[in-house]
Amino acid sequence: MTMMTQIRHAKFQIGQVVSHRIFAFRGVIFDVDPEFNNTEEWYRSIPEDIRPRRDQPFYHLFAENSESEYVAYVSEQNLVADTTGVPLRHPQIGNMFETPENGVYRVKKPHIN
């Protein structure tokens, strides 16, 4: 018996600026998991009525809201493309990305010594 696995394609890309559908924060994507890959404790901490499905891409973001900057882990269903064009201020962005072009941050090329 062969099992067919469904291949999921991420809707968003590394370097893309996104906003959360429910909560007032936005950020730049720096990594993508094809499906949920965090702790059970983290998953259960999300209120059940808004808890996302596990079988979808999850994104690691350099995120920020009006008060602070942090790293967030967000399901695809809770993200939308951010088209404001407003620059992000997260201090870790410059370590990984170049200045954005057309709203998308490009990953810095590694320096070879």
Side-chain angles (χ1 to χ4, degrees):
M1 177 168 74
T2 31
M3 294 187 78
M4 295 289 293
T5 51
Q6 183 177 359
I7 297 172
R8 294 198 175 273
H9 295 281
K11 181 178 179 180
F12 304 107
Q13 63 183 343
I14 290 174
Q16 188 171 357
V17 179
V18 291
S19 296
H20 196 280
R21 280 187 195 277
I22 300 168
F23 301 111
F25 72 85
R26 56 198 288 268
V28 61
I29 297 167
F30 70 87
D31 197 10
V32 182
D33 293 335
E35 59 185 29
F36 179 77
N37 188 23
N38 205 330
T39 65
E40 188 63 25
E41 180 182 26
W42 182 91
Y43 188 73
R44 297 231 176 260
S45 73
I46 302 167
E48 195 170 345
D49 61 331
I50 61 168
R51 193 176 294 157
R53 297 180 334 274
R54 296 172 188 256
D55 66 340
Q56 63 181 311
F58 276 73
Y59 299 83
H60 300 261
L61 310 178
F62 291 131
E64 59 190 55
N65 59 28
S66 59
E67 290 105 37
S68 65
E69 299 84 32
Y70 50 95
V71 172
Y73 190 63
V74 186
S75 64
E76 187 169 272
Q77 76 186 58
N78 284 324
L79 291 176
V80 294
D82 182 282
T83 57
T84 63
V86 176
L88 292 161
R89 65 180 189 276
H90 196 291
Q92 290 177 278
I93 291 172
N95 297 336
M96 185 174 209
F97 295 104
E98 303 284 347
T99 307
E101 289 180 18
N102 300 320
V104 177
Y105 288 82
R106 288 181 310 139
V107 175
K108 285 184 175 180
K109 294 184 182 0
H111 296 295
I112 300 172
N113 293 335

